[in-house]
Amino acid sequence: MTGPDTRPDTRPDEDADPDSPEGRGGAAVVIPAAPPGSGRTGLDRRRVLGAAIEFIDAEGLNALTMRRLGAYLGVEAMALYRYVPGREQLLDGVVESVIDELYGDPDVHLAASHGWQDYLQRLAHGVRRIALAHPEVFPLVATRPPAAPWVRPPLRSLRWVESFLDALIDSGFSEASAVAAYRAYSSFLLGHLLLEVSQKGVKISPEDQPEGVPGAVATTDLSEYPTVVRLEALLSLDESAAEFEEALENLLGRLEVVLREGRTPRRGDTRG
Amino acid sequence: MTGPDTRPDTRPDEDADPDSPEGRGGAAVVIPAAPPGSGRTGLDRRRVLGAAIEFIDAEGLNALTMRRLGAYLGVEAMALYRYVPGREQLLDGVVESVIDELYGDPDVHLAASHGWQDYLQRLAHGVRRIALAHPEVFPLVATRPPAAPWVRPPLRSLRWVESFLDALIDSGFSEASAVAAYRAYSSFLLGHLLLEVSQKGVKISPEDQPEGVPGAVATTDLSEYPTVVRLEALLSLDESAAEFEEALENLLGRLEVVLREGRTPRRGDTRG
DNA sequence: ACCTGAACACCGTTCAAGT
DNA sequence: ACCTGAACACCGTTCAAGT
């Protein structure tokens, strides 16, 4: 079984709130906000983070300020500090929430009875779905300093590391190979997905395209780059999806060799 | 607290007269502009960008503000706008300058007469050297939106794309294979190097390690992650350099197959 | 020609105060 | 218990003014 610790209400919300200032001992039930109608009022850490994600998706990362997020939630900026210690931690929370979406992804969470390769495939596709769903957030997922050196982007969660390693070890990988596989897998996902989302983003980003402006710069002098010019059509093709599949297949193939032969494939291996 | 709040001006040079009442009688001392000897005065776009890189390397990306960079150069922030249109373009210039260091790298710039594999090796190592020399800048190299979709991080320069494609095509690659190779190579470099620099950075970043604080969170409850705990030593090893070599070798091996057999290697190939 | 001072709009964050 | 108003220190950027 490979899913990260299956059922037990591993919900990312509630609990795990280390910063609640002091109170907390309250005998009464608390019930933090959320009146019957679950109306737009009743702030809540989860709602704040969710709003931040929506806001970034819609307006871009640079547009997110405490004040604007407050306004988006119909509240003054200062009210947010009740749910989040500051802006940096808001961003940390955003990254965590986005990654936590993986836990709700049924395609990833399937009982992983189809072997480690199937599991790694589904996990990779789950992460890719998240990256494509939140292209403005993914650079944050990619670059926020991880909590520990072995919690790597883009998985970023102890639970996924645990589940990844267990899956491989249960399938016969040595501990060292499982760790090496985890590293190679992270690096593949990170590089590929970061490039894919940034390629997506560039289609909108050109900001101010100067119009007429006759004698203007006109980008660059392309005559010095004849090959680039000649291959422009090829270079502009977006084959991200196919490349992702291919690189993933290749990685799995390499890991298979490690598992079967207990060694790392080398440069000449592919000869017959 | 975050960031180096070192309030008292981080100015490296002497007192730039913060608020001395009015002394300064000597009218002769000033010398504000560039004297013959190209002294430390005499601002200049290149000097501004160079200072920005030094500043980021030393204080971190978040610490870089127009005002602080001005102070670092012994000048008011507003003076910088003569050389750079604004903060965003400053950062673009920083990224460009850092990547341009590759052009001065003799190890990369060798006549590429030892074949395409040797060239790709040297180029990759050159980029890695830059990433490790400027770990605080590299995330910027990785995430700034590229000028065109086919100018990909971390190379980010038309000249390198041109040179990369020429090298492969001259060696017999088809145009399509050369482009595919360029994509795979970018993705490998980006993923690997971004992870490597962030792993480096984490060693310093732990910010405020709370000391005693008996009942505190103490990071997380590790008992739910027995495999991670058991493999902690393995997971903490930094094998970045070896992994880089290995992944690079593997990529070159794949490309070799494409070149020789005109096709993409598939999952079963490594069988005898 | 190059830099500064003052000003503007906007930030993150604190804290006392409202309800 | 939860939110606001006012305030503080700092930002990016503009523009007229100094030299």
Side-chain angles (χ1 to χ4, degrees):
Chain A
M1 158 57 66
T2 4
D5 85 14
T6 47
R7 290 302 74 86
D9 70 331
T10 54
R11 237 78 65 187
D13 47 22
E14 73 205 73
D15 81 304
D17 185 9
D19 351 78
S20 43
E22 46 213 322
R24 116 138 9 171
V29 191
V30 183
I31 307 184
S38 79
R40 35 171 283 82
T41 247
L43 237 36
D44 169 317
R45 182 176 154 94
R46 188 138 107 277
R47 196 195 299 271
V48 168
L49 294 179
I53 294 172
E54 282 175 31
F55 192 95
I56 296 173
D57 284 343
E59 311 282 339
L61 187 54
N62 287 341
L64 183 77
T65 69
M66 298 299 278
R67 290 166 126 109
R68 291 208 266 238
L69 180 57
Y72 183 75
L73 282 160
V75 100
E76 300 297 315
M78 307 77 197
L80 302 175
Y81 287 84
R82 222 150 246 285
Y83 307 99
V84 120
R87 185 177 192 265
E88 290 299 294
Q89 295 90 337
L90 207 213
L91 296 181
D92 286 338
V94 161
V95 167
E96 197 188 332
S97 293
V98 161
I99 283 297
D100 279 351
E101 289 182 20
L102 261 185
Y103 285 96
D105 187 327
D107 260 36
V108 175
H109 233 306
L110 274 175
S113 38
H114 295 266
W116 61 272
Q117 317 193 38
D118 176 58
Y119 175 59
L120 263 52
Q121 280 265 10
R122 285 187 281 105
L123 182 56
H125 284 108
V127 176
R128 179 161 181 266
R129 249 173 266 130
I130 286 178
L132 296 179
H134 305 286
E136 292 282 344
V137 177
F138 196 76
L140 228 44
V141 172
T143 57
R144 290 249 114 194
W150 21 275
V151 179
R152 306 178 133 214
L155 289 186
R156 304 201 72 110
S157 143
L158 271 180
R159 256 186 300 193
W160 286 115
V161 182
E162 178 82 8
S163 132
F164 184 106
L165 295 173
D166 282 346
L168 266 59
I169 291 171
D170 288 354
S171 302
F173 280 78
S174 72
E175 294 182 336
S177 305
V179 169
Y182 164 61
R183 294 212 179 101
Y185 187 82
S186 304
S187 153
F188 148 70
L189 275 182
L190 188 68
H192 195 98
L193 296 180
L194 194 54
L195 274 167
E196 188 167 0
V197 303
S198 86
Q199 200 160 350
K200 245 75 181 182
V202 97
K203 290 174 183 162
I204 322 174
S205 83
E207 311 261 323
D208 313 347
Q209 201 67 300
E211 314 221 350
V213 199
V217 256
T219 54
T220 345
D221 180 10
L222 288 180
S223 72
E224 301 177 51
Y225 311 110
T227 307
V228 167
V229 169
R230 178 162 44 91
L231 303 190
E232 182 172 351
L234 270 175
L235 284 164
S236 300
L237 279 183
D238 181 358
E239 310 249 58
S240 308
E243 284 160 14
F244 183 79
E245 302 305 334
E246 192 182 310
L248 179 54
E249 280 289 329
N250 173 265
L251 177 63
L252 295 179
R254 279 207 283 162
L255 297 182
E256 209 175 303
V257 174
V258 171
L259 174 60
R260 284 200 326 251
E261 313 189 359
R263 72 187 184 88
T264 283
R266 309 220 123 274
R267 236 209 258 189
D269 280 4
T270 42
R271 298 277 272 92
Chain B
M1 67 102 75
T2 349
D5 276 356
T6 51
R7 278 269 307 109
D9 14 85
T10 50
R11 250 177 301 246
D13 49 323
E14 69 280 0
D15 50 32
D17 180 82
D19 33 14
S20 67
E22 54 186 306
R24 114 162 357 191
V29 198
V30 186
I31 311 183
S38 81
R40 34 168 286 79
T41 247
L43 238 34
D44 170 315
R45 183 178 154 91
R46 189 138 108 276
R47 198 197 295 272
V48 169
L49 294 179
I53 294 171
E54 283 175 31
F55 192 94
I56 296 173
D57 284 343
E59 311 282 340
L61 186 55
N62 287 341
L64 183 77
T65 68
M66 297 300 277
R67 289 164 126 111
R68 291 207 268 237
L69 180 57
Y72 182 75
L73 282 161
V75 98
E76 298 298 315
M78 306 78 197
L80 303 175
Y81 286 83
R82 227 156 239 284
Y83 306 100
V84 121
R87 185 177 193 266
E88 290 299 294
Q89 294 90 337
L90 208 213
L91 296 182
D92 286 338
V94 161
V95 166
E96 196 188 333
S97 293
V98 161
I99 282 298
D100 280 351
E101 288 183 21
L102 260 186
Y103 285 95
D105 187 327
D107 260 37
V108 173
H109 235 304
L110 276 174
S113 41
H114 293 266
W116 62 272
Q117 317 194 37
D118 177 58
Y119 175 60
L120 264 50
Q121 280 266 8
R122 285 187 282 106
L123 182 57
H125 284 108
V127 176
R128 179 163 182 264
R129 250 174 265 130
I130 286 179
L132 295 179
H134 306 287
E136 292 281 343
V137 177
F138 196 76
L140 229 43
V141 173
T143 57
R144 289 251 116 192
W150 22 275
V151 180
R152 306 180 133 213
L155 290 185
R156 305 202 71 110
S157 142
L158 271 179
R159 250 183 310 188
W160 286 116
V161 182
E162 179 81 8
S163 130
F164 184 105
L165 295 174
D166 282 346
L168 265 59
I169 291 172
D170 289 353
S171 301
F173 280 79
S174 71
E175 294 183 336
S177 305
V179 169
Y182 163 62
R183 294 211 179 102
Y185 188 82
S186 304
S187 153
F188 149 71
L189 275 183
L190 187 68
H192 194 97
L193 295 180
L194 194 54
L195 273 166
E196 187 166 1
V197 304
S198 87
Q199 201 160 350
K200 246 74 182 180
V202 97
K203 289 174 180 158
I204 321 173
S205 83
E207 311 262 322
D208 312 347
Q209 202 66 299
E211 315 222 350
V213 198
V217 255
T219 56
T220 344
D221 180 10
L222 289 179
S223 72
E224 301 177 51
Y225 312 110
T227 306
V228 168
V229 168
R230 179 162 43 91
L231 302 191
E232 181 171 352
L234 270 175
L235 285 165
S236 301
L237 280 183
D238 182 358
E239 310 249 58
S240 308
E243 284 159 14
F244 183 79
E245 303 304 335
E246 193 181 309
L248 179 53
E249 280 289 330
N250 174 264
L251 177 62
L252 295 179
R254 278 206 282 161
L255 297 183
E256 208 175 305
V257 175
V258 170
L259 173 60
R260 284 200 325 251
E261 314 189 0
R263 72 187 184 88
T264 284
R266 310 219 122 274
R267 236 212 258 192
D269 281 4
T270 41
R271 297 276 273 93

